[in-house]
Amino acid sequence: MSGDVEVSALAINVTIPEALRWTDTRRGESFTLTTLNVRLLPDGHLAAKAYGRPVGGGRGAYVSFPVPDRPELAALIAQAAGRAGGLWAAHRGLG
């Protein structure tokens, strides 16, 4: 059956460690980026977007930001993808 199952997306959410967080601005509002959403693309590559909360507090909009090209963020993404792959491979089925 595994060949007949179409998986349309694989995505994980990763908490950005405090030391790696950054601030970005969208529509005049500053956000502290705290979470990465990492997707496995059909060709096997990874894509990531960052999400966070307004610096001034409140809920703010659910707005994505590009992930800066920093080696430590790339390493975090790769490590998280590897960890997620291990967790998926070791799943124990529905609880």
Side-chain angles (χ1 to χ4, degrees), residues 34-85:
T34 59
T35 305
L36 297 172
N37 177 268
V38 181
R39 293 178 296 121
L40 178 62
L41 301 175
D43 68 359
H45 288 94
L46 300 172
K49 292 185 178 187
Y51 294 87
R53 297 205 176 272
V55 171
R59 292 181 48 111
Y62 191 67
V63 180
S64 67
F65 290 85
V67 177
D69 185 15
R70 294 176 19 206
E72 61 273 22
L73 291 173
L76 174 65
I77 291 166
Q79 182 180 5
R83 173 78 173 123

